[in-house]
Amino acid sequence: MRVVFVCPGTLRRNTAGVEQSVYYLDQFMQKKGHEVEVYCVPHDQPAGKVTYDGLSITEFPGFSPNNAFFFSWGIYNALKNSHHDIIHAYGYNSFPSMLALLAKKKNEKFVLTGASSISSSPLRKMLHPLMNEYYHLLGKKINKLIC
């Protein structure tokens, strides 16, 4: 099975809960014989396609003011131009998750883990109604929601 994890930060830093969760799930799934990739937008300069601790990671350039939001068309384009059996995205209020859902094809399954979805800034709180509407419109494309 081909699986891609989409997360806002890079596993090369492996410092936060989302990155650690993806890191351990990736390792577990590889041991079970699955083909696993990670697509992410790092806080600093993206390294492109790298192998880190045996994991296949593609870091995309993106826009990330104050290390928040992590917007990247590169993730969207990569998902549109490839096939995975499962796309597992992290973060309800994460632009990579929103772009991954938009890129999902009919024959792919989509899993959304609501990690890192706490609003911490006034701007994020202002965006929540828009994000709610986005997921309301595209929510039928989500096969599994993990809270």
Side-chain angles (χ1 to χ4, degrees), residues 23-95:
Y23 177 84
Y24 292 121
L25 279 172
D26 189 324
Q27 285 189 328
F28 175 80
M29 293 189 76
Q30 280 190 42
K31 287 178 185 171
K32 295 292 184 182
H34 302 292
E35 185 181 334
V36 185
E37 296 178 89
V38 177
Y39 290 176
C40 60
V41 183
H43 297 275
D44 52 9
Q45 287 293 90
K49 195 168 189 108
V50 298
T51 301
Y52 171 76
D53 208 11
L55 310 179
S56 175
I57 301 170
T58 304
E59 296 179 350
F60 294 91
F63 178 67
S64 179
N66 298 321
N67 290 328
F69 306 112
F70 303 97
F71 187 84
S72 173
W73 278 116
I75 286 178
Y76 172 80
N77 289 328
L79 289 168
K80 278 305 267 187
N81 295 316
S82 61
H83 171 74
H84 298 88
D85 298 301
I86 297 174
I87 299 170
H88 187 160
Y90 277 77
Y92 169 81
N93 64 354
S94 162
F95 283 128

